[in-house]
Amino acid sequence: MKKITLNVQGMSCGHCVNSIEGSVGQLEGINQVNVKLNDAQVEVIFNESQVSLDIIKETIEDQGYEVK
């Protein structure tokens, strides 16, 4: 398992948290997703052999947020 912290712009409310945690959490290979709204960060624990970092970033961006 690998743990990463992504800086994500555009999150402002509980809906944002649910949107990101829900969409990323559905990806195969995701163990845990934790959105830190006040820090504009998303922590993800995932299995690199099942899902790539690029797919995780793309999934967040597809929800309308910008990954820095």
Side-chain angles (χ1 to χ4, degrees):
M1 292 290 175
K2 180 173 183 173
K3 180 179 180 179
I4 57 161
T5 301
L6 301 170
N7 293 313
V8 179
Q9 301 299 308
M11 302 183 300
S12 61
C13 63
H15 177 279
C16 301
V17 173
N18 293 336
S19 177
I20 291 173
E21 288 182 350
S23 62
V24 174
Q26 289 180 0
L27 296 172
E28 186 162 338
I30 299 295
N31 184 286
Q32 184 177 352
V33 183
N34 182 23
V35 174
K36 294 182 174 184
L37 193 59
N38 293 335
D39 296 330
Q41 294 181 330
V42 177
E43 288 183 349
V44 184
I45 300 173
F46 65 103
N47 185 332
E48 289 179 283
S49 66
Q50 290 182 291
V51 65
S52 70
L53 179 56
D54 287 340
I55 295 292
I56 294 168
K57 288 180 179 180
E58 184 178 301
T59 301
I60 293 171
E61 290 172 347
D62 285 349
Q63 296 300 312
Y65 307 102
E66 184 178 356
V67 179
K68 296 278 185 178

